Amino acid sequence: MLEERETKEPAMNPFQKNESKETLFSPVSTEEVPPQPLSLPKKPPPKICGSNYPLSIAFIVVNEFCERFSYYGMKAVLTLYFLYFLHWNEDTSTSIYHAFSSLCYFTPILGAAIADSWLGKFKTIIYLSLVYVLGHVVKSLGALPILGGQMVHTVLSLVGLSLIALGTGGIKPCVAAFGGDQFEEKHAEERTRYFSVFYLSINAGSLISTFITPMLRGDVQCFGEDCYALAFGVPGLLMVIALVVFAMGSKIYRKPPPEGNIVSQVVKCIWFAISNRFNNRSGDIPKRQHWLDWAAEKYPKQLIMDVKALTRVLFLYIPLPMFWALLDQQGSRWTLQATRMNGNLGVFVLQPDQMQVLNPLLVLIFIPLFDLVIYRLVSKCGINFSSLRKMAVGMILASLAFAVAAAVELKINRMTPPQPGPQEIFLQVLNLADDEVKVTVLGDENNTLLEESLRSFQMPHYAQLHLKTKSQDFHFYLTYHNLSVYTKHSVEEKNWYSLILREYGKNISSMMVKDEGNKTANGMTTVRFINTLHKEVNISLTTDIFLSVGEDYGVSAYITVQSGEYAAVHCRTEDKDFLLNMGLLDFGATYLFVITNNTNQDPQAWKMKDTPANKLSIAWQLPQYALVTAGEVMFSVTGLEFSYSQAPSSMKSVLQAAWLLTVAVGNIIVLVVAQFSGLVQWAEFILFSCLLLVVCLIFSIMGYYYVPIKPEDLQKPADKQILHTQGNVINLETKKTKL
């Protein structure tokens, strides 16, 4: 969850330590642009408390804090929203989550083009922030249960996420650079410190929002279920505040006009070189020393030399997407893993989606730890810990993190009941009659699938039954006293069912209920009720959770509640009030309560546990979060630092654009694997771990043959730089492309 701090002018130190995956770039054109006056205020811009810091940066920093709170707060609960509100399966939820993340890293290219070629940074931020706010409004409306059905919720959610991706990605390359524009050239030192404050505001926003929004979702009930509308609405409100605060500083901002887009110039130069080489592939035409030299007919020599240096670095970017494929699964696969773990840490209960707060928290701890302690100790040991080696170690740490995640997943699987697979169901029989009932289950060919005798209110258990097709009719023969009853029920694969037996006068009848809530939502406790009374029962589980259970064996929907002791739950019928003792409800368990009549006392509840409680503590995820965050600090911070040191300052924005694209491609990799791999979760974790190890090996080989350029060589005068590049970089390219 590292964020990029923009360093726009070459006069600044471009190798900031706190760099990361979310690069904020501002393209700068290498073409000659007619000088245009800045729209500066007539008077010198106001300063903060008599310092050299312009007052305008206060509005920008607050804006960034609110915007990052908005983005990460919304994203923290997104996977569980897909899974439990839209009722998508885990693979679809993961795929859409990473499709959204990928889009958020593609749209900065569009935002940079709009800002640098058309509107300028200020107007781009204003207009796309309005799109951003609209996306939050649409997304929040899509989370209201009373607003239409699932199709309406799905459409509103996808439209809202698309607008949010356009908004957050579009302003990403503009905000930090616009803050840098507020400083005069003579205040370069203050500008550097500003980016440190800007970086802290980003991490503070992500840290606080990742902790708070899961609480808004899980601890507040809306319409009898988790309040996703509030969890999305509060980040939307923060984005409104971000827009208002940013607009308030309009009159004191320095607003440079658009300067042209270097990214498009680089793409055009490369395309022209390729097409020109293809059009002049005849053997009679003399060959040129480098394939980019074929652009010399149209583009300046300096631009061509800069692009040559750029392509050397971009070649090393090819393996990078696999690292992001692993890192960004903290909000998807790892959150889903946390739903099946016990979040009760004694002092407080941690929501599954709150575990993501470990990433920004550990980032703030690890950056100074690595810079001030670990790297210095390694250096004192005489080890040449180069940038490329740091990146390779970061990949290894991320790979180890997924190996640990696979081990945790296997441990969870050993503690949880098996899940029904294709052409399988789980069936339990609840005997609510006054005497013993013998149950025989026959398949389509009259083969006996299950036969057992159940005493009255005997504790049931799930039996695994096999089907011949995806759906099938089961025949049930019930023997009660001397009476035999035949009935038939249809079932579908991969589901849990409860067959409820009840007396009907002197006869016996049955009804089949699908146990849709057998897998608990959000890792919380889930309960439902069967009412054997002849009157409807209204139950008040908490001050804000109410439900009604119909008369004569009515079955309620599943309700999620906090774990804990429920010794006196208030209930009411049309003629009396009474209390139910539900006892202790464990974290993550699923319970069935049968409300029965007691002639001498008030009605009472018979308690059954359909699904056992989560036994494995969520704290077992801490090692994998620590490993992957350490890998992120070593990989992301070092990667951009190395990139900037190996390419001319004019190419910095192109490097940042390419860095963002590696993140986008990484999320697409997760999307493809989630949709088409068909692997169980622990095997998928192992697959990603092994893939990153292979990519790390390839990257290490590429780095071994890579000859770094000294940063001072890139700062030489243009004529010397061109000669030096021709003598070294081009020869290196020719020599190393054999790899």
Side-chain angles (χ1 to χ4, degrees), residues 565-702:
E565 188 74 30
Y566 290 78
V569 175
H570 183 263
C571 303
R572 172 180 293 180
T573 62
E574 61 182 15
D575 57 359
K576 67 181 300 185
D577 292 358
F578 59 94
L579 300 177
L580 285 181
N581 182 7
M582 296 171 55
L584 177 65
L585 303 185
D586 289 337
F587 191 90
T590 301
Y591 294 93
L592 171 64
F593 292 92
V594 180
I595 302 174
T596 60
N597 202 0
N598 190 326
T599 55
N600 299 325
Q601 302 175 1
D602 288 335
Q604 59 186 14
W606 178 46
K607 179 180 178 181
M608 292 174 290
K609 185 183 290 187
D610 287 346
T611 303
N614 296 341
K615 298 297 183 182
L616 190 65
S617 173
I618 202 170
W620 281 94
Q621 281 196 323
L622 181 59
Q624 64 200 57
Y625 271 97
L627 284 170
V628 81
T629 306
E632 179 183 2
V633 170
M634 297 189 71
F635 179 91
S636 182
V637 174
T638 310
L640 276 173
E641 176 187 341
F642 172 79
S643 301
Y644 293 165
S645 69
Q646 297 299 295
S649 58
S650 63
M651 295 291 108
K652 177 186 172 187
S653 59
V654 186
L655 281 174
Q656 294 168 326
W659 188 267
L660 287 175
L661 290 178
T662 64
V663 183
V665 173
N667 280 275
I668 292 177
I669 292 174
V670 183
L671 187 156
V672 172
V673 173
Q675 282 296 312
F676 302 108
S677 70
L679 298 173
V680 294
Q681 192 55 68
W682 69 267
E684 185 179 293
F685 285 154
I686 292 295
L687 172 65
F688 276 110
S689 180
C690 294
L691 286 176
L692 186 57
L693 281 179
V694 173
V695 168
C696 179
L697 177 61
I698 296 173
F699 178 79
S700 299
I701 296 173
M702 295 167 64

Side-chain angles (χ1 to χ4, degrees), residues 27 88 145 164 178 238 284 297-299 368 434 503 589 610 630 719 721 723:
W88 294 346
I164 291 172
F178 187 69
L238 264 292
D284 299 333
E297 285 84 353
K298 185 176 181 181
Y299 290 93
D434 288 338
E503 279 186 288
D610 287 346
D719 54 342
Q721 183 179 355
L723 291 174

Side-chain angles (χ1 to χ4, degrees), residues 57 86 89 92 110 116 119 125 137 200 248 289 392 412 414 420 424 428 512-513 551 598 685 690 696:
I57 66 169
L86 297 183
N89 60 41
T92 302
L110 177 62
D116 291 328
L119 295 177
I125 294 171
V137 172
L200 289 176
M248 286 171 59
Q289 195 171 18
I412 293 173
R414 287 196 295 267
E424 289 181 353
Q428 68 174 356
M512 184 76 80
V513 178
E551 60 188 27
N598 190 326
F685 285 154
C690 294
C696 179

Side-chain angles (χ1 to χ4, degrees), residues 411-424:
K411 194 172 183 65
I412 293 173
N413 291 343
R414 287 196 295 267
M415 293 185 175
T416 55
Q419 307 298 318
Q423 297 185 9
E424 289 181 353

Side-chain angles (χ1 to χ4, degrees), residues 114 140 231 257 355 419 484 546 675 701:
I114 294 174
S140 300
M355 281 298 290
Q419 307 298 318
S484 295
F546 309 93
Q675 282 296 312
I701 296 173

